[in-house]
Amino acid sequence: MTDTLDGRHVVVTGGTGALGGAVVGKLLDHGAICHVPNAHAAAPGHFPFPAHERVRLAHNVDLADPAKVDAFFASVTDLWASIHLAGGFTAAPVEKIEPASFAEMMDTNARTTFLCCRAAIRSMLESSVSGRIVNITARAGLDLRRGSGMIAYAASKAAVAAMTVAMAEELKGKGILVNAVAPSTLDTPANRADMPAADFGKWVSLEAAAEAIAYLASPANLAMSGTLVPLYGRA
């Protein structure tokens, strides 16, 4: 991919996480200006780009709060792309899932994605930008039998997949391309710690995931929309 993102403004929610850091790094390599909302008062210590000249960190942004999401997106001028990686995971047998836990997964994954998509699309429509939206679903959100043991998570990620395809259809006449990636297991330090006996070679590298996401968010993506891209590696 050439430096077609040079000088373009891109939002990356979840940008201070493991995948988010890899995506921000990839976008910076291609010249983008990255706007990263953070739920806390400061970026976590492991975030590699807190002082980068093309990284704009916004703190205390609750992505489940419509007013805070709208205010954050209103602060981003000339928005080109919005990448929504923020989310969470939980697993439990269905009979042990509390309603509050189910609601938390829907808020953390589906609600945040909806609110950020809505705000980004409003910005793009107002400025007549044929921009890009990239969401993150999961293998369990596409291959629903894999949601066994993680019902709340699978349901929330299936909602993200449904929103992505429906929005792509709705916006195809406006030139805004909407896609999502669906990883299996990402090779992160946290996942290695949680599953030390796993074969890490079957997992998806952060580099590979970041490359796919950056392409979907770039002007080099001329036609892909409504696509749920499986990132399964060797799993």
Side-chain angles (χ1 to χ4, degrees):
M1 187 174 71
T2 59
D3 290 344
T4 51
L5 282 167
D6 192 40
R8 294 183 187 265
H9 293 262
V10 181
V11 164
V12 185
T13 77
T16 60
L19 176 58
V23 170
V24 169
K26 183 68 66 176
L27 295 172
L28 292 173
D29 287 346
H30 293 294
I33 300 164
C34 295
H35 299 260
V36 181
N38 174 34
H40 307 290
H46 60 257
F47 180 61
F49 308 109
H52 195 285
E53 63 180 1
R54 284 185 280 112
V55 172
R56 314 279 191 267
L57 279 163
H59 301 302
N60 298 310
V61 181
D62 179 358
L63 295 177
D65 182 328
K68 290 190 176 182
V69 170
D70 288 347
F72 167 72
F73 275 88
S75 73
V76 179
T77 58
D78 301 318
L79 178 66
W80 162 257
S82 198
I83 299 168
H84 308 134
L85 308 178
F89 174 80
T90 190
V94 63
E95 71 275 12
K96 295 183 179 179
I97 300 172
E98 296 296 332
S101 178
F102 185 88
E104 182 182 5
M105 276 294 94
M106 296 303 290
D107 278 349
T108 302
N109 293 324
R111 179 182 173 87
T112 61
T113 300
F114 163 72
L115 291 175
C116 291
C117 283
R118 184 181 70 159
I121 289 163
R122 283 174 170 174
S123 174
M124 292 173 186
L125 291 175
E126 184 176 348
S127 57
S128 299
V129 170
S130 297
R132 307 287 183 268
I133 304 285
V134 186
N135 297 323
I136 185 163
T137 177
R139 190 172 189 174
L142 304 187
D143 183 358
L144 300 181
R145 291 186 183 276
R146 289 182 177 267
S148 171
M150 53 183 85
I151 300 295
Y153 174 75
S156 66
K157 287 300 193 179
V160 171
M163 282 190 287
T164 298
V165 176
M167 283 188 289
E169 183 68 16
E170 183 174 327
L171 294 164
K172 64 183 182 182
K174 306 291 186 180
I176 298 172
L177 307 185
V178 187
N179 295 284
V181 297
S184 52
T185 304
L186 291 170
D187 189 0
T188 66
N191 283 339
R192 287 193 177 213
D194 289 344
M195 295 173 276
D199 181 354
F200 306 144
K202 292 184 177 180
W203 292 358
V204 179
S205 73
L206 295 178
E207 168 71 18
E211 184 67 35
I213 291 166
Y215 171 76
L216 291 173
S218 78
N221 172 22
L222 297 174
M224 287 179 67
S225 194
T227 302
L228 306 173
V229 181
L231 299 179
Y232 296 167
R234 293 172 49 218

